[in-house]
Amino acid sequence: MSNHKIYSMSVARVYPLYIAKAERKGRAKSEVDEIIRWLTGYTQEEFEEQLNKQTDFETFFKDAPFLNPSRTLIKGVVCGVRVEDIKEPTMQEIRYLDKLIDELAKGKSLDKILRGK
């Protein structure tokens, strides 16, 4: 899938997949939401509004109220690529989120996932 297709995909389309991945491993939707709020600075209401508007990933991250500076502490491999080595900013934000959801599904504590908040 090209980057353009990923960027133009709505967050609402992928969000249920994040929840399903977490729930399969005994984690909760509320934890997925907390991760997204931590990463982007959206309130729960603002996040739900983005879902309702079918906002694409590029706009979702571009308009995020506060991209958490601690997100640069996120390291590791997603889809065969090291997230810290991704040069394109929007793709890196998407992969940061993917990596955090992976960590949740692998049983990491929220405190560790959120880099000590």
Side-chain angles (χ1 to χ4, degrees):
M1 184 177 294
S2 73
N3 287 352
H4 179 70
K5 285 184 180 180
I6 293 170
Y7 300 166
S8 62
M9 187 179 300
S10 80
V11 176
R13 183 172 168 197
V14 179
Y15 177 63
L17 302 175
Y18 291 149
I19 294 168
K21 184 173 190 170
E23 289 179 342
R24 273 194 310 272
K25 299 295 186 169
R27 304 306 287 260
K29 173 188 176 292
S30 61
E31 292 175 300
V32 172
D33 290 357
E34 185 172 347
I35 286 169
I36 292 169
R37 291 191 316 266
W38 175 87
L39 183 64
T40 62
Y42 286 109
T43 65
Q44 187 66 31
E45 184 176 273
E46 291 167 334
F47 172 55
E48 289 172 9
E49 185 178 312
Q50 296 299 313
L51 294 175
N52 290 334
K53 290 185 342 189
Q54 298 287 312
T55 302
D56 62 67
F57 273 104
E58 186 169 27
T59 304
F60 181 74
F61 284 111
K62 180 176 63 73
D63 293 349
F66 177 76
L67 291 172
N68 195 312
S70 294
R71 73 193 189 289
T72 60
L73 300 174
I74 301 167
K75 309 284 185 214
V77 177
V78 175
C79 298
V81 178
R82 295 203 69 75
V83 294
E84 61 270 29
D85 295 340
I86 297 171
K87 300 294 182 225
E88 204 294 307
T90 302
M91 181 54 71
Q92 189 171 48
E93 299 302 340
I94 292 167
R95 295 306 183 202
Y96 281 152
L97 178 55
D98 291 345
K99 182 66 178 167
L100 295 175
I101 300 300
D102 285 352
E103 290 176 359
L104 181 69
K106 288 179 180 170
K108 266 194 174 182
S109 72
L110 267 182
D111 187 55
K112 285 188 174 154
I113 294 169
L114 303 182
R115 298 346 195 221
K117 293 193 184 186

